[in-house]
């Protein structure tokens, strides 16, 4: 009886070890590109955080519109050394004074503050759309890359399965003299090589899946299976839009260019504001003094202003002027980059399109059909091991190249979308 319980306990222990050694199971979620983009817009936390920045910058515009508050001061005798009384309040014993002052901003400082806040709000909005453009590019590129990597992985899986069956069949005939040992070793070496390459490919898929899940804010236990409309992709044509149209769209819609222009505008406004700060502000006073003046119940009005003898904001004005030159240079650099990006992306798309058009649509189907025939012929000993392995290696390389060509072509169209800031190709 005791031995029986020990056996049961050992079985549970062994099963627990096996379950711990297994990789976590993932739930597969099929997504089309429009579904993925909608999920991205609804749930991405980086976009949500940037939206809060927009709200915060708009609130600063409200703050800039506010006028300075008036200042009210009141004073009363606390202790009379003559009368030796605390807080006298009767007749000639007390003294009360009051003052109301209002700061008046001169040289248009308030309007300049408002314009600065408005431009900063525009800058935050452009930063939001630039983040949106970058994350959307990452999403679409990862989406297509996973699709074509999975197609390559399927080829590896099929070849590994076929080689594994051959190895098992050879192992059953081991020692009978039908199969040379060196031939078995060659097949095993090819199998191990494919398994290693397949493992690297799976790691690449998992890494891209991880990045895509982060963009979509999905839980780690989901595996995304992209549903790609291959017929729509095959109709993409880089000659559909002329270069001038693409460049004009980039100048109008590239958010990084808009950011550069806005930074220049902000520094120009800041320069004007710093010059305005050199002009002293005016303070108006209205006051009352009960007994502290040369006559009782003294009412007065006054004005005060700093004299700009020493500090005329010279350093800040000079710094603001230098910042204008800095952002103007960066703006010209961004403008030069825009046209180069678009023209280079279009050239790349034409090159990838020409390469894609050289592929025979029946190529993959013919190769897949021949693959099974080659396996059967090798098992029947109609072809040598060198011919068999050469065909397998050729099939793998050609399939990988075909998927790479297709992905590079789609990626080139995504580059055009990214560099123009417009979804010309969907």
């Amino acid at each position: 009886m005791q031995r029986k319980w020990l056996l049961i306990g050992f079985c549970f222990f062994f099963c627990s070890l096996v379950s711990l050694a297994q990789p976590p199971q993932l739930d597969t979620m099929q997504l089309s590109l429009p579904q993925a983009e909608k999920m991205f817009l609804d749930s991405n936390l980086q976009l949500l955080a940037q939206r809060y920045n927009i709200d915060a910058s708009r609130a600063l515009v409200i703050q800039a519109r506010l006028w300075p508050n008036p200042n009210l001061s009141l004073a009363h005798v606390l202790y009379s050394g003559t009368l030796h009384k605390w807080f006298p309040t009767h007749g000639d014993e007390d003294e009360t004074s009051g003052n109301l002052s209002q700061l008046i901003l001169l040289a248009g400082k308030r309007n300049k503050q408002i314009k600065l806040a408005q431009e900063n709000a525009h800058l935050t909005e452009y930063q939001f759309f630039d983040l949106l453009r970058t994350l959307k590019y990452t999403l679409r590129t990862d989406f297509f890359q996973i699709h074509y990597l999975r197609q390559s992985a399927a080829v590896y899986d099929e070849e590994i399965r076929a080689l594994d069956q051959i190895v098992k069949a050879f192992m059953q005939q081991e020692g009978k003299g039908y199969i040379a040992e060196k031939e078995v070793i060659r097949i095993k070496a090819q199998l191990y090589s494919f398994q290693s390459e397949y493992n690297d490919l799976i790691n690449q898929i998992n890494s891209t899946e991880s990045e895509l899940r982060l963009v979509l804010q999905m839980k780690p236990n989901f595996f995304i299976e992209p549903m790609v409309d291959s017929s729509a992709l095959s109709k993409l044509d880089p000659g559909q839009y002329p270069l001038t149209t693409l460049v004009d769209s980039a100048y109008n819609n590239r958010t990084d260019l808009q950011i550069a222009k806005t930074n220049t505008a902000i520094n120009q406004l800041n320069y004007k504001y710093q010059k305005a700060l050199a002009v002293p502000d005016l303070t108006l006073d209205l006051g009352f003094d009960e007994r502290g003046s040369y006559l009782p119940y003294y009412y007065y009005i006054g004005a005060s202003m700093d004299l700009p003898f020493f500090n005329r904001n010279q350093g800040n004005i000079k710094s603001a002027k230098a910042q204008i030159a800095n952002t103007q240079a960066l703006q010209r650099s961004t403008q030069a980059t825009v046209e180069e990006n678009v023209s280079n992306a279009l050239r790349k798309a034409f090159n990838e399109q020409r390469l894609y058009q050289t592929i025979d649509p029946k190529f993959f189907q013919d190769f897949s059909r021949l693959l099974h025939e080659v396996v059967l012929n090798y098992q029947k000993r109609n072809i040598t091991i060198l011919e068999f392995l050469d065909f397998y290696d050729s099939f793998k390389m050609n399939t990988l190249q075909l998927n790479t060509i297709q992905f590079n072509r789609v990626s080139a169209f995504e580059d055009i979308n990214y560099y123009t800031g417009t979804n010309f190709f969907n």
Side-chain angles (χ1 to χ4, degrees):
M1 186 69 177
Q2 185 178 5
R3 186 177 299 174
K4 177 181 178 182
W5 286 109
L6 287 174
L7 181 61
I8 293 174
F10 175 77
C11 290
F12 275 111
F13 176 71
F14 178 76
C15 291
S16 64
L17 288 179
V18 171
S19 63
L20 288 174
Q22 295 296 322
Q25 297 297 317
L26 300 180
D27 296 328
T28 301
M29 175 180 286
Q30 294 183 338
L31 281 178
S32 66
L33 189 56
Q35 289 173 331
E37 289 182 332
K38 184 179 184 304
M39 183 181 297
F40 158 69
L41 292 174
D42 291 341
S43 61
N44 188 272
L45 296 179
Q46 287 181 273
L47 291 180
L48 182 62
Q50 190 64 31
R51 286 193 185 103
Y52 287 131
N53 281 340
I54 294 176
D55 293 338
S57 61
R58 288 174 178 171
L60 294 178
V61 177
I62 298 174
Q63 182 63 34
R65 293 181 184 276
L66 302 178
W67 293 96
N69 289 323
N71 179 267
L72 174 65
S73 63
L74 295 173
H76 188 83
V77 175
L78 178 65
Y79 177 78
S80 173
T82 303
L83 300 174
H84 304 288
K85 291 181 64 175
W86 289 91
F87 207 73
T89 58
H90 299 289
D92 297 338
E93 298 177 354
D94 67 337
E95 155 64 4
T96 303
S97 64
N99 177 269
L100 179 66
S101 62
Q102 174 67 53
L103 177 67
I104 306 298
L105 300 177
L106 301 181
K109 293 186 184 70
R110 178 173 172 272
N111 288 334
K112 291 178 174 63
Q113 286 178 337
I114 294 172
K115 291 179 180 179
L116 263 173
Q118 289 173 336
E119 283 301 318
N120 277 303
H122 292 155
L123 177 63
T124 308
E125 292 173 2
Y126 290 136
Q127 288 171 340
F128 168 78
F129 288 113
D130 195 55
L131 176 63
L132 174 64
R133 180 176 72 105
T134 302
L135 290 177
K136 190 174 181 181
Y137 174 74
T138 301
L139 182 153
R140 294 175 66 94
T141 305
D142 286 350
F143 186 88
F144 290 117
Q145 186 175 19
I146 291 171
H147 171 70
Y148 290 112
L149 287 176
R150 279 172 56 85
Q151 288 192 344
S152 298
V155 173
Y156 273 104
D157 188 57
E158 184 178 0
E159 290 193 337
I160 289 172
R161 192 183 304 112
L163 286 178
D164 188 55
Q165 292 175 356
I166 293 174
V167 169
K168 288 178 180 178
F170 284 177
M171 295 298 292
Q172 293 174 357
Q173 298 177 7
E174 187 176 8
K176 297 180 181 180
Y178 299 125
I179 305 295
E181 184 178 2
K182 64 179 182 179
E183 191 168 343
V184 177
I185 293 175
R186 288 289 301 275
I187 294 293
K188 284 184 178 180
Q190 186 72 23
L191 175 61
Y192 298 152
S193 176
F194 280 177
Q195 287 174 334
S196 177
E197 294 174 10
Y198 177 73
N199 186 67
D200 292 339
L201 187 58
I202 292 300
N203 287 335
Q204 186 179 356
I205 292 174
N206 289 336
S207 177
T208 311
E209 282 273 345
S210 176
E211 185 176 59
L212 184 57
R213 280 194 298 268
L214 285 175
V215 173
L216 298 177
Q217 297 298 311
M218 292 180 63
K219 294 182 178 179
N221 60 323
F222 280 100
F223 184 88
I224 303 167
E225 182 179 345
M227 306 300 294
V228 174
D229 187 354
S230 300
S231 61
L233 293 180
S234 64
K235 297 176 183 178
L236 296 178
D237 180 14
Q240 185 176 354
Y241 302 98
L243 178 60
T244 53
T245 300
L246 300 178
V247 172
D248 289 342
S249 178
Y251 276 125
N252 292 327
N253 299 306
R254 276 279 289 268
T255 46
D256 54 342
L257 180 57
Q258 299 302 323
I259 288 173
K261 291 179 179 179
T262 305
N263 279 327
T264 300
I266 288 174
N267 283 318
Q268 289 171 339
L269 288 172
N270 183 54
Y271 175 68
K272 294 178 181 179
Y273 178 64
Q274 295 301 326
K275 290 180 68 175
L277 288 177
V279 179
D281 295 323
L282 177 66
T283 301
L284 298 179
D285 296 290
L286 181 65
F288 162 76
D289 195 327
E290 185 179 18
R291 299 181 187 279
S293 182
Y294 68 97
L295 52 86
Y297 302 103
Y298 170 64
Y299 296 90
Y300 65 90
I301 186 171
S304 63
M305 175 184 289
D306 291 339
L307 298 178
F309 290 158
F310 307 111
N311 182 358
R312 296 189 301 278
N313 208 34
Q314 301 96 316
N316 287 332
I317 293 173
K318 188 174 181 180
S319 174
K321 189 174 183 179
Q323 287 298 320
I324 292 176
N326 173 266
T327 50
Q328 284 177 338
L330 292 176
Q331 180 180 335
R332 289 193 296 270
S333 174
T334 305
Q335 289 173 340
T337 303
V338 165
E339 187 170 351
E340 178 58 32
N341 285 157
V342 175
S343 59
N344 185 56
L346 187 60
R347 284 194 298 269
K348 178 183 175 183
F350 273 111
N351 291 335
E352 297 296 341
Q353 181 75 358
R354 280 193 293 269
L355 183 59
Y356 173 77
Q357 290 175 339
T358 61
I359 300 173
D360 184 358
K362 298 180 180 179
F363 173 81
F364 187 77
Q365 297 177 356
D366 293 341
F367 242 92
S368 299
R369 177 178 52 81
L370 288 174
L371 177 66
H372 299 290
E373 294 180 2
V374 166
V375 173
L376 293 175
N377 277 281
Y378 176 65
Q379 290 174 338
K380 295 177 182 179
R381 319 303 292 169
N382 292 332
I383 60 175
T384 65
I385 184 174
L386 293 178
E387 292 173 321
F388 172 70
L389 294 178
D390 181 67
F391 182 85
Y392 251 56
D393 194 57
S394 298
F395 176 75
K396 179 203 69 174
M397 292 302 299
N398 281 281
T399 303
L400 293 180
Q401 289 175 356
L402 177 62
N403 289 326
T404 300
I405 289 171
Q406 293 183 89
F407 171 69
N408 288 342
R409 172 179 173 269
V410 174
S411 180
F413 287 111
E414 290 302 322
D415 286 347
I416 294 177
N417 289 340
Y418 177 71
Y419 288 128
T420 59
T422 309
N423 287 334
F424 284 108
F425 303 100
N426 268 322

